[in-house]
Amino acid sequence: MKRLAVAALLAATTLASSANAADKPLEARGTWSVTTRGSAPLPPMGWNSWNAFGTDIDEEKVIASAQLIVDSGLAAKGYRYVNIDDGWWAKRRQADGRVLIRTDNFPSARTADGNTSFRPFTDRLHAMGLKAGIYSEIGRNSCGQIYGDPAGPGQPAGTMAEREIGLYGHIDQDIALYFGEWNFDYIKVDGCGIRALAADSPQVKSGRLRALDPLIDYDTIPRTNIPAVKGLFDQVGQALSRNKPGNDFVLSICLWGSADVRSWARTLGNLSRTSEDISPNWERMLHNLDSASRRELYAKPNSWNDPDMLFIGSGEFDDAHLTEARSHMSLWAMLNAPLIIGFDLRKASPAMMGVLGNAQVIALNQDAAAHQAVLAYDGDSVQIFTKTLADGTKAVALFNRTGSPIDVKLIASHLKYRADQPITLTDLWDGDTKSFTNEMPVHLERHQTLLFKASGTREHAQGLYLSEQPGNVNPAVDGIVHPMADPMVYRGLLPWRSTKADGEHPVYGGWGGARADATPFAQTPKIAGKTYHNAIGTLANSRLEVRNTGFSTFTTLAGIDDSVADPTARVRFSVHADGKLLKQTGWMKPGDAPAAIAVPVKGAKIVELVAEGNRPEMQNVAVDWAEAALDR
Ligand code: GLA
């Protein structure tokens, strides 16, 4: 009897707490809400066929690059996933829905019974010490089928139904085949089929492909069915968990920043594309970089921002553009972007292999502390990124975005190092070492990135600012109610469209997201007339989860940012340790001096920072956790 009552009480509590989680998103719960599905504790590294070959792929090409990855020593440096992209499907067999492989291009996939199998191919890669990746599509038809040349290479053939090789309606069956039977380790899942096949699309009107009412309106966030898109990717994740024992898989979400994927990718996938496709030209690289570079708080161990694959070796990143190739590599490394080579390595020169294989640069990307770089200086012509490393030192990248040389200054405070103590820099491309105090003039050639490892005396010797450890700060709720397009992304000439439209209007949701050392709208944090260079900027109605890696005290100055124009806005701030309230301020108004908070957090795993607003929708109300730090 007593036992029953306890069980009933427990059940009721569980029900109540899961109801609270949905109804009360600001309620502290003491958990870290980044997905535990899949395995990408550090950014995945490897190779993918798309940038090198498009849909014109075959086994020989893939294995040749795989062999070179091993033989050149790149595998030993961490490149281990070898991923085939679009172009491998023959058709979906109608009798049983099984997807068949193009055996003319992948001869080892031939089987006596006609079923076809990638198992010999994945076995071969595994025997080489590599991991194997496959590509699919969340809709019925792949991007290549929709946007590529229907008569081009790599297109599935047969009836309309046979050509429906995407996961839509077949998630469990296909994932069981790819992972259970064929033993892949990694899957990239695209979304063109849920974006482009409205009844009035040319592909449907021509009778070539079947209509699928788009879930994603790529140009209009409010017309996108975000929960439905998320639901489909969740089903993929669940199927992966079922079919890959040991959780050893990677789910790469390829939604190009649409469907507000920025806000939910961390709960479902191991990497998530932040933009449309990269091209081998400078302007496009800037575009892709910008789509991820201000999302430093949205990259976490097991879920990374993906500004798309490397284009090193091609176009404006080839041998004649070594400076540009090094910049591309340096920036992707600093951003903790997945390092996925997109080049036919049979054609790679020693110089290109040197760029891809620079062990010091790779080490930044794979650093165990796993913090995406933060913008210490953010301009249209020059940007300075800094990254806190596991050994207590920092990396700094000074990046000239323009086509002309520029002279700039690196100052101690960019690194949050003391200006009165020496700072030592080691150049990670040429090995040179130099020292300076206070500030150092730096000459940047056109398109150049100077990349240094830096050591100095920390300004905040007693601990770490939260903005120095973005990998440990998770915006579980960032206050965005209506996702808005990010206006900060470089809009170059779209290589595949030139000026045949009215300009580029990327609709990558994310504007207003939480930031390190900036407000959500890219201003310098300021409270009651005072500027703060160390802060987490977020919106009212937000909850940040902070992983405490052994610190004893949390301190901050919390307040409404001076950029807020609404005099009726009220916010109260609270700090929690493992779900327990430690401190709550009164309701504060714009212009109020910040509230000083210092609370003991020793032994707590998760510190939560909640900024509760006086209305449900306060997307224009920026707040600052100024000088927020965890101290010893
Ligand atoms: C989309 C993706 C690319 C590539 C192609 C294949 O465009 O963004 O990375 O996978 O599809 O068709």
Side-chain angles (χ1 to χ4, degrees):
M1 178 75 190
K2 207 170 175 191
R3 231 186 244 165
L4 269 182
V6 173
L9 190 69
L10 273 178
T13 326
T14 317
L15 270 180
S17 65
S18 56
N20 280 348
D23 304 346
K24 299 184 179 167
L26 296 186
E27 195 164 86
R29 55 205 68 176
T31 54
W32 180 247
S33 52
V34 177
T35 185
T36 53
R37 272 190 209 143
S39 178
L42 294 169
M45 294 175 65
W47 181 92
N48 173 295
S49 55
W50 179 251
N51 287 352
F53 303 113
T55 50
D56 192 10
I57 51 171
D58 61 42
E59 193 162 353
E60 195 187 319
K61 288 174 179 166
V62 179
I63 294 292
S65 280
Q67 194 63 55
L68 279 162
I69 285 174
V70 175
D71 295 347
S72 66
L74 288 178
K77 289 177 175 164
Y79 293 95
R80 58 191 192 127
Y81 288 99
V82 171
N83 302 343
I84 49 177
D85 207 280
D86 204 342
W88 63 266
W89 295 283
K91 64 165 135 181
R92 185 180 293 282
R93 188 164 65 193
Q94 291 307 292
D96 57 359
R98 184 180 173 97
V99 173
L100 304 182
I101 302 158
R102 293 173 59 215
T103 49
D104 46 344
N105 294 50
F106 290 90
S108 78
R110 243 175 237 135
T111 60
D113 57 8
N115 276 340
T116 75
S117 171
F118 264 135
R119 189 61 195 240
F121 173 77
T122 62
D123 281 350
R124 189 160 172 198
L125 290 174
H126 290 148
M128 293 162 82
L130 299 169
K131 298 242 178 200
I134 194 165
Y135 170 84
S136 194
E137 156 64 48
I138 199 77
R140 295 191 189 105
N141 297 103
S142 80
C143 298
Q145 287 181 295
I146 294 169
Y147 297 115
D149 173 3
Q155 295 285 1
T159 63
M160 187 191 273
E162 284 174 331
R163 284 181 282 111
E164 291 179 349
I165 40 55
L167 295 173
Y168 200 82
H170 296 271
I171 292 177
D172 290 347
Q173 179 181 19
D174 289 0
I175 297 297
L177 178 64
Y178 305 164
F179 285 79
E181 196 175 322
W182 293 348
N183 205 18
F184 278 98
D185 308 292
Y186 183 120
I187 187 166
K188 170 175 164 187
V189 180
D190 233 319
C192 295
I194 55 167
R195 149 184 179 186
L197 294 178
D200 62 353
S201 65
Q203 295 88 342
V204 173
K205 280 202 329 211
S206 67
R208 190 159 62 83
L209 302 175
R210 182 155 50 132
L212 197 154
D213 217 6
L215 297 174
I216 295 176
D217 182 328
Y218 193 67
D219 302 313
T220 329
I221 305 175
R223 292 171 61 92
T224 291
N225 186 343
I226 296 167
V229 178
K230 197 175 156 184
L232 287 173
F233 277 88
D234 191 24
Q235 279 180 45
V236 175
Q238 288 179 31
L240 285 164
S241 291
R242 276 197 303 274
N243 284 287
K244 194 76 184 178
N247 207 30
D248 186 14
F249 63 83
V250 173
L251 170 58
S252 157
I253 301 177
C254 187
L255 288 174
W256 337 273
S258 73
D260 197 34
V261 67
R262 172 203 55 92
S263 74
W264 53 265
R266 278 159 302 136
T267 65
L268 292 181
N270 307 113
L271 50 146
S272 172
R273 280 277 297 278
T274 51
S275 73
E276 270 274 25
D277 293 7
I278 193 167
S279 285
N281 69 65
W282 187 254
E283 289 209 328
R284 197 63 191 165
M285 192 277 287
L286 291 181
H287 175 98
N288 284 55
L289 170 76
D290 291 353
S291 71
S293 64
R294 298 182 186 86
R295 296 178 176 203
E296 62 279 346
L297 295 174
Y298 293 80
K300 297 282 165 279
N302 223 36
S303 197
W304 307 99
N305 287 323
D306 175 11
D308 205 358
M309 300 171 283
L310 298 168
F311 239 129
I312 290 164
S314 305
E316 292 178 17
F317 306 101
D318 68 2
D319 278 294
H321 298 85
L322 189 59
T323 302
E324 285 78 3
R326 285 181 171 182
S327 281
H328 187 2
M329 181 75 186
S330 303
L331 294 162
W332 261 234
M334 287 291 277
L335 251 50
N336 282 11
L339 297 180
I340 308 288
I341 299 167
F343 191 56
D344 180 353
L345 291 176
R346 291 173 300 191
K347 298 185 186 151
S349 65
M352 286 300 116
M353 287 307 241
V355 173
L356 294 166
N358 182 321
Q360 313 249 39
V361 179
I362 292 170
L364 296 185
N365 180 264
Q366 299 289 301
D367 183 75
H371 302 304
Q372 176 171 325
V374 170
L375 277 158
Y377 177 88
D378 191 4
D380 286 338
S381 44
V382 171
Q383 290 177 313
I384 300 176
F385 292 89
T386 60
K387 186 182 201 300
T388 307
L389 303 174
D391 66 3
T393 66
K394 298 218 171 185
V396 56
L398 296 102
F399 173 42
N400 178 2
R401 296 165 64 100
T402 77
S404 316
I406 302 190
D407 288 297
V408 299
K409 288 203 166 68
L410 176 67
I411 58 176
S413 66
H414 288 143
L415 289 154
K416 303 191 193 295
Y417 283 160
R418 280 175 56 169
D420 59 350
Q421 298 292 318
I423 294 170
T424 306
L425 299 176
T426 307
D427 188 315
L428 297 187
W429 287 107
D430 69 15
D432 271 9
T433 301
K434 46 186 146 251
S435 269
F436 73 100
T437 42
N438 188 26
E439 63 176 46
M440 186 182 78
V442 177
H443 177 78
L444 295 169
E445 298 298 347
R446 77 188 291 264
H447 296 171
Q448 189 177 28
T449 303
L450 285 178
L451 187 63
F452 301 105
K453 205 166 167 196
S455 51
T457 308
R458 300 176 43 73
E459 261 171 21
H460 188 80
Q462 63 272 42
L464 264 190
Y465 291 121
L466 296 196
S467 62
E468 293 179 285
Q469 44 173 332
N472 290 330
V473 181
N474 182 39
V477 183
D478 61 15
I480 296 178
V481 186
H482 305 291
M484 291 187 300
D486 183 343
M488 301 285 284
V489 177
Y490 183 85
R491 294 170 300 148
L493 272 181
L494 253 187
W496 50 87
R497 199 186 296 150
S498 180
T499 54
K500 290 191 293 184
D502 63 346
E504 211 198 339
H505 307 286
V507 187
Y508 308 145
W511 186 231
R515 294 289 313 275
D517 295 339
T519 73
F521 304 117
Q523 303 297 319
T524 304
K526 202 171 174 189
I527 310 171
K530 189 165 183 298
T531 292
Y532 294 94
H533 292 286
N534 309 300
I536 299 292
T538 183
L539 296 175
N541 290 330
S542 61
R543 178 169 58 86
L544 309 174
E545 298 163 353
V546 181
R547 244 186 338 202
N548 178 19
T549 53
F551 291 100
S552 301
T553 316
F554 172 75
T555 55
T556 192
L557 296 169
I560 298 180
D561 192 82
D562 282 1
S563 59
V564 173
D566 176 0
T568 68
R570 298 289 178 273
V571 179
R572 66 176 173 188
F573 297 83
S574 55
V575 179
H576 312 251
D578 289 340
K580 200 170 128 257
L581 178 68
L582 297 181
K583 172 88 187 172
Q584 183 167 48
T585 69
W587 288 99
M588 296 173 66
K589 60 181 189 307
D592 279 354
I597 297 175
V599 284
V601 295
K602 193 168 180 175
K605 290 199 170 64
I606 303 288
V607 177
E608 267 162 294
L609 310 181
V610 178
E612 182 191 351
N614 61 331
R615 294 189 301 269
E617 296 196 11
M618 297 183 77
Q619 197 159 321
N620 54 354
V621 176
V623 302
D624 303 313
W625 297 92
E627 306 292 331
L630 282 165
D631 294 340
R632 277 181 279 279

